[in-house]
Amino acid sequence: METHSVRHRVHSRTVAAAANYSVGDIVSNSATDTEGTAWQWENLVESGKAAELVSAFITASEDSLTAVYRLHLFSGNPSASELDDNAALSIVIADQANYIGTIIFEAMTDKGTVSAATAETLNFPVGIVCNDNTLYGILEDTSGETAEAAGMTIA
């Protein structure tokens, strides 16, 4: 299958940050039960082609974060899995077939008015094919961040 490289950035997303995060908590747009949604990169892949992810970075609108994040990637919407902010990560069997792998980010560092980190590890196949040309993700806090702020944005 033919692959191509393209620079693509997720739009910034307001996260609920409803309370301090514990290790293994999801970072999402809503802490209301069943209201959280997966991160999405739409039109990432042209029909019949595979995408190749070669690098990744993450930024947050809070300048004092030290969190370490892991982004779980899916070729289809993982809507059966837990998606609510501050809930413990739980990927269910119904979403297993769409699971691609993970991006593990370095610890966030203060960059002045924002925090940022680059990918430390990319754990997935070279050619990514998505079911509906959209790549989906669940963002997990693997460090237990306590400097978050309700309504902060992550991109």
Side-chain angles (χ1 to χ4, degrees):
M1 181 167 284
E2 181 182 345
T3 63
H4 70 285
S5 295
V6 62
R7 185 180 183 107
H8 199 83
R9 182 181 175 129
V10 68
H11 299 288
S12 64
R13 179 175 198 184
T14 301
V15 296
N20 287 342
Y21 291 102
S22 297
V23 173
D25 275 1
I26 293 170
V27 179
S28 183
N29 61 317
S30 178
T32 303
D33 191 29
T34 72
E35 295 296 319
T37 58
W39 295 74
Q40 297 180 26
W41 293 265
E42 296 174 340
N43 301 313
L44 181 67
V45 183
E46 293 179 38
S47 181
K49 294 185 179 179
E52 179 180 1
L53 274 69
V54 294
S55 67
F57 65 92
I58 188 169
T59 61
S61 62
E62 287 298 310
D63 63 357
S64 58
L65 298 184
T66 58
V68 177
Y69 294 114
R70 178 184 298 133
L71 181 61
H72 299 268
L73 299 174
F74 298 82
S75 60
N77 192 341
S79 57
S81 294
E82 181 61 66
L83 299 172
D84 299 325
D85 190 70
N86 284 102
L89 177 71
S90 177
I91 298 170
V92 299
I93 291 173
D95 292 324
Q96 185 178 10
N98 290 325
Y99 191 77
I100 295 170
T102 61
I103 298 173
I104 300 171
F105 293 95
E106 297 173 346
M108 300 285 276
T109 58
D110 190 330
K111 302 296 184 190
T113 58
V114 300
S115 297
T118 57
E120 178 178 282
T121 308
L122 304 173
N123 295 314
F124 46 78
V126 172
I128 297 173
V129 178
C130 301
N131 298 342
D132 60 3
N133 295 348
T134 300
L135 182 65
Y136 296 88
I138 298 175
L139 188 62
E140 174 191 9
D141 182 342
T142 63
S143 60
E145 180 63 63
T146 59
E148 78 290 334
M152 70 179 183
T153 58
I154 293 181

